[in-house]
Amino acid sequence: MPTATPTPGKLLLNANDHTLVMIDFQSQMSFATKSIDAVTLRNNAALVSETAAGFGVSTILTTVAEKSFSGPMFEEITRAFPGQKLLDRTSMNTWEDAAVIAEVNRIGKPRIVLAGLWTSVCIVGPALSAIDQSFEVYVIADACGDVSDEAHERAMDRMVQAGARPITSLQYLLELQRDWARTETYEMTTGIAKRFGGAYGLGIIYAKSMFGASEGH
């Protein structure tokens, strides 16, 4: 009989154990994205970005053919990381870009969290490559998109079958906070949820406005 202890499981993410790689959130890529609407995609990209920046997660921002074809990265992302260099590539598979891999190795975290466009190409490529090199891979499914529902879903299936772990944007935020008694990040977490957490965020606004509720008490 195992003994239960009040400690988090090793499969849960924390802010210090992974590198977030945000891939090809660019105009040209989003035009053909049909599995998620642009407003929701931009909202979720902002939620992930603000979460990573707020918790101090090691983050790589990468684009493909930014100047010649695909256009700039979403402002919702670059605003969260002011001054951070974007690593522009020619390869569809981020994991085949030497500059990106140099940064992965410099950061030196055993887990990779991926988000971006398109799921079936620019997320599958690094996910399967990283898994093949013994990294643990998590994919933020609702911060990815593809040219059709079928393309996105089959790509997620393929990655999960290979060992990737699917999560969502709001789950990412709450998993890094994980305890409302963590007062140092409480206001930041609830603030991000208010702005980008949809109905959950509205609930926080309502509860705090109507009766001063606080999850930590």
Side-chain angles (χ1 to χ4, degrees):
M1 178 70 182
T3 301
T5 62
T7 53
K10 294 179 181 178
L11 294 181
L12 292 172
L13 291 167
N14 66 65
N16 300 315
D17 68 1
H18 68 279
T19 300
L20 172 68
V21 188
M22 304 196 74
I23 301 171
D24 302 353
F25 285 98
Q26 297 169 265
S27 305
Q28 182 64 33
M29 304 301 294
S30 64
F31 293 155
T33 297
K34 304 300 181 187
S35 63
I36 183 172
D37 70 85
V39 173
T40 303
L41 177 65
R42 292 176 69 181
N43 179 83
N44 293 348
L47 197 164
V48 171
S49 299
E50 295 287 342
T51 297
F55 280 95
V57 173
S58 301
T59 302
I60 296 172
L61 308 179
T62 181
T63 56
V64 64
E66 178 189 4
K67 302 299 184 184
S68 60
F69 184 75
S70 299
M73 181 168 265
F74 292 0
E75 186 181 26
E76 290 87 347
I77 298 171
T78 56
R79 187 188 305 125
F81 303 98
Q84 179 161 332
K85 182 180 179 181
L86 307 184
L87 302 181
D88 196 48
R89 318 178 322 276
T90 60
S91 61
M92 286 181 278
N93 179 5
T94 294
W95 211 260
E96 294 179 45
D97 184 85
V100 172
I101 294 308
E103 187 66 2
V104 168
N105 290 331
R106 184 192 69 80
I107 293 168
K109 302 293 176 64
R111 290 173 164 172
I112 302 293
V113 177
L114 300 171
L117 303 175
W118 297 321
T119 323
S120 63
V121 181
C122 301
I123 303 301
V124 161
L128 298 187
S129 301
I131 289 169
D132 190 58
Q133 294 175 18
S134 300
F135 287 83
E136 293 180 46
V137 173
Y138 293 70
V139 178
I140 306 179
D142 65 349
C144 296
D146 215 313
V147 297
S148 67
D149 290 345
E150 183 78 7
H152 174 76
E153 291 166 7
R154 295 295 76 75
M156 290 302 305
D157 289 344
R158 185 179 178 189
M159 289 185 287
V160 169
Q161 288 168 4
R165 296 165 179 147
I167 59 175
T168 66
S169 302
L170 187 58
Q171 180 183 359
Y172 184 61
L173 169 66
L174 298 180
E175 191 159 320
L176 296 192
Q177 175 67 28
R178 214 162 60 235
D179 187 341
W180 294 121
R182 291 178 179 169
T183 55
E184 67 275 12
T185 52
Y186 173 81
E187 292 296 337
M188 179 195 72
T189 296
T190 54
I192 293 171
K194 286 177 189 177
R195 285 180 288 153
F196 306 113
Y200 172 58
L202 289 175
I204 294 174
I205 294 170
Y206 174 82
K208 290 184 179 297
S209 299
M210 298 303 289
F211 44 88
S214 175
E215 294 88 336
H217 300 287

